[in-house]
Amino acid sequence: MAVERLLPDTEAEDLIALVRDISANELAPKASEYEEKELFPREEFRLLGRSGLLGLPYPEQWGGSGVSYEVYLQVLEEIAAAWMTVAVGLSVHTMSCYALAQYGTDEQRDQYLPDMLSGELLGAYALSETHAGSDAAALSTRAVLDGPDYVVTGTKAWITHGGQADFYTTMVRTSPDGGRGISCLLVPADTPGLSASAPERKMGMTASTTAQMNFDQARVPASRRLGEEGIGLKIALSALNSGRLGIAACAVGLAQAALDESVRYAKERSQFGRAIIEFQGMEFLLADMAAAVESARAMYLEAARRRDRGLPFKRQASIAKLVATEAAMKVTTDAVQVLGGAGYTKDFPVERYMREAKVPQIFEGTNQIQRMVIARELRNT
């Protein structure tokens, strides 16, 4: 069922209507097949680009749409309800453009950002390493200045769109000074010395390619450094604050899809001469699922409105990510229970939803990290 949304204007209403049409007709019909066959939806991302959806929250000056985060996140939610892989990919792409949009020079933005937002290019965000996940300041991929270029050596891990992206917003170590020794490079995918390992074999979101990216003496022009040397960690953490809101919205969309499928099935499935939705045990289960979805939606919207108004939103972003991803895990698990034995089969999508719901609790900062961020913010108030 369509979520009733309180949107700020008719333009936002028209945008959501467009997204619902694309989601229903172009994305949802392909999701199960692509996930089962592990097919990367590159053409679907190009469709989103042609539809103006790959640059929504960025200025029109560089080819974006200037859409508020409040509206952009609801677009993500609608797409996630149809196909989680595509929604997460859109969120990752948006985050991959953040460093250039916020920290690049006007000359860099003029040169690179229009192509990144137009839809033909797809981005990836390269921060994590095998030994530097939650502890991002421990990353070791090294960039040494050699004339006009940085020579980059090291391996990035768990990169969404690894081997598929056209550019990688990459955090590298330019000095041994801990978190203050990290810088940000905008690396083209065709850089000599840059290669992708075989994709990871995952339990869910199998159409979304995740791979290690290997830098073997890769030469990246110094003109592609975003911001000053040493502020890469600041850029990365700032991007993650907004990226966490994207993941929260995706998680809510996934949970909404699971709730919708559960309600539909419970209305159609009869036992003891009655639709199972009429039994109190089922009513209470579905009610709790609906409460979890709507509470999580309200949380990410509150954080987005704070962001749009220029207010601090770091704590609210972590709360939204924590609440929404925990809700998605519970709601999708309960959806399998609602469908019973049928829910455990691949004839219905809820078993896939349950598998997909796990990873949002892990990426963009694990939920344990979100609790640390929230507690630290409370201590500092």
Side-chain angles (χ1 to χ4, degrees), residues 133-135 244 318 321 361-362 364-376:
S134 296
D135 183 10
R244 285 164 182 163
S318 284
K321 198 268 188 183
Q361 295 180 303
I362 298 170
E364 314 290 45
T366 66
N367 282 5
Q368 287 70 33
I369 290 293
Q370 304 315 312
R371 290 177 170 92
M372 290 173 58
V373 171
I374 296 163
R376 190 174 297 126

Side-chain angles (χ1 to χ4, degrees), residues 9 11 24-25 58 70 104 119 139 156 181 189 209 240 246 285 299 359:
D9 50 44
E11 288 186 1
N25 296 309
Y58 293 113
E70 176 185 359
L139 68 83
K156 291 295 181 178
T209 301
L240 283 171
L285 183 58
M299 189 63 244
V359 73

Side-chain angles (χ1 to χ4, degrees), residues 4 22 36 44 95 101 109 120 172 178 183 218 245 254 261 281:
E4 183 178 356
I22 291 173
E36 184 173 356
E44 286 63 37
M95 186 170 67
R109 286 191 282 254
E120 284 305 308
V172 296
S183 301
L245 291 181
L254 183 65
E261 182 68 16

